[in-house]
Amino acid sequence: MAALNYNHLRYFWAVAHEGNLTRTAEKLHVSQSALSIQIRKLEGQLGHPLFERTGKQLVLTEAGRIALEHADAIFSAGGELLSMLGNRPGTRRQILRVGALATLSRNFQMAFLRPLLKRDDVELVLRSGTTTELLHALESHRLDVVLINMPPLRDAGTPWISHPIAEQPVSLIGAAAHAGSGRGLEELLTSEPLVLPTLESSIRIGFDAVIDRLGLRVRIAAEVEDMAMMRLLAREGIGLAVVPPIVVRDELAAGTLVELAQLPELSETFFAVTLSRRFPNPLARELIASFSPTPHDDAG
């Protein structure tokens, strides 16, 4: 195989960051046709298309995203060489782009990412958003893995791979003043106001089923989408929060919140969602394969 033509790579690199062929040609003082030819030559050598056109915008393909990561590393190393004028070898930093549901437990996210947090050869890019936003970014190769708590629907057009990576029990969590009352689960549920997740939450779906099976009527103080806000409301004594203990791990350790009872047969499952790719990010595979929450993480 012929050696890589770095002029072709630099033209591709410039277009990839600009996202527009015409503007890039103007900045580089070359014709648009000449720029297109250089990129087509690089695609021919690599054997994969690097861009697809969406309207007037050029969007990277999966192969294009991988080529851009390597180009970033190559030209960054060249800049370091010019500035240092030395021979010290550099190490290429690997990049992992992780998206997480905005309402997902931060403690759980940290537990998932912890194996990579102190690695000098890894750069993490973290994003949050709705499930729809995150899956769209995953499909367009702007994310490598998405953390959510409900698996997305899969069909022939959306080949998601949902890896169940952890299951957390769900409990009634309250302010420290509730400790030692001796009340059982059913009495707590019927006598105390509750802070619940919203109706779309997998926890709420399961909780409503539990209440129906027990034949109980409950009083709802608040319905909250964000787990962090549920924690704050529980600390203020607004009501008992229905959450996995990992969400309030620090407050349980400090004694500001207490776990009063576990809800039977109710848990939250966390999923790492990837896309079926020809070139999967090895860091995502590594995390998913090795992840197991420690007892400290599970216990809260």
Side-chain angles (χ1 to χ4, degrees):
M1 182 177 178
L4 181 66
N5 187 309
Y6 287 95
N7 284 328
H8 298 165
L9 185 66
R10 181 171 286 279
Y11 283 132
F12 156 75
W13 182 62
V15 174
H17 281 288
E18 186 66 40
N20 183 281
L21 204 63
T22 302
R23 288 198 301 268
T24 307
E26 291 173 353
K27 288 185 177 181
L28 297 178
H29 305 292
V30 298
S31 69
Q32 186 173 328
S33 60
L35 194 55
S36 297
I37 290 171
Q38 301 301 313
I39 292 174
R40 284 199 297 271
K41 286 182 178 179
L42 179 63
E43 290 176 328
Q45 186 176 21
L46 296 178
H48 299 282
L50 302 177
F51 293 105
E52 57 186 7
R53 187 173 290 279
T54 303
K56 295 183 178 180
Q57 196 76 9
L58 289 176
V59 179
L60 287 168
T61 63
E62 183 184 350
R65 175 64 63 184
I66 293 170
L68 180 58
E69 288 183 12
H70 284 270
D72 283 339
I74 288 168
F75 295 124
S76 174
E80 290 176 5
L81 177 63
L82 289 174
S83 62
M84 293 172 60
L85 297 178
N87 297 316
R88 189 173 67 186
T91 301
R92 188 176 73 83
R93 288 170 64 82
Q94 304 174 75
I95 300 174
L96 180 67
R97 297 172 174 84
V98 181
L101 195 64
T103 57
L104 204 66
S105 164
R106 302 299 189 268
N107 287 337
F108 173 77
Q109 294 179 49
M110 287 295 293
F112 180 77
L113 297 171
R114 188 168 291 122
L116 300 181
L117 292 179
K118 295 184 178 180
R119 281 182 51 173
D120 293 334
D121 64 328
V122 172
E123 176 182 341
L124 292 172
V125 178
L126 307 179
R127 299 281 186 264
S128 64
T130 66
T131 299
T132 300
E133 292 168 344
L134 295 173
L135 293 178
H136 179 71
L138 183 64
E139 189 174 17
S140 61
H141 310 301
R142 290 181 286 116
L143 290 174
D144 299 305
V145 60
V146 166
L147 300 176
I148 54 179
N149 56 6
M150 291 185 72
L153 296 176
R154 175 177 175 167
D155 56 37
T158 51
W160 315 121
I161 303 173
S162 299
H163 309 266
I165 53 175
E167 187 173 359
Q168 300 287 336
V170 176
S171 298
L172 280 179
I173 304 292
H178 293 286
S181 65
R183 289 177 292 175
L185 174 64
E186 293 191 19
E187 186 179 356
L188 287 167
L189 288 171
T190 54
S191 64
E192 295 288 339
L194 302 177
V195 178
L196 299 177
T198 54
L199 293 171
E200 299 81 10
S201 163
S202 61
I203 295 178
R204 178 63 180 274
I205 293 169
F207 176 80
D208 287 347
V210 169
I211 294 303
D212 184 68
R213 286 199 303 271
L214 295 176
L216 302 178
R217 293 176 63 86
V218 299
R219 179 160 52 101
I220 300 174
E223 293 183 338
V224 185
E225 184 179 49
D226 183 46
M227 287 288 177
M229 180 57 72
M230 291 185 69
R231 182 179 72 235
L232 294 176
L233 292 175
R235 285 172 55 178
E236 290 295 321
I238 302 301
L240 304 184
V242 177
V243 295
I246 192 174
V247 173
V248 292
R249 180 184 63 193
D250 296 338
E251 287 81 0
L252 291 175
T256 54
L257 290 176
V258 291
E259 183 179 4
L260 300 171
Q262 276 197 5
L263 287 154
E265 302 177 11
L266 184 56
S267 62
E268 181 176 30
T269 303
F270 297 90
F271 296 87
V273 181
T274 58
L275 192 66
S276 180
R277 292 183 176 180
R278 185 173 180 180
F279 309 106
N281 189 314
L283 289 175
R285 281 186 167 182
E286 179 183 331
L287 275 184
I288 292 169
S290 65
F291 179 67
S292 176
T294 65
H296 177 70
D297 290 328
D298 285 338

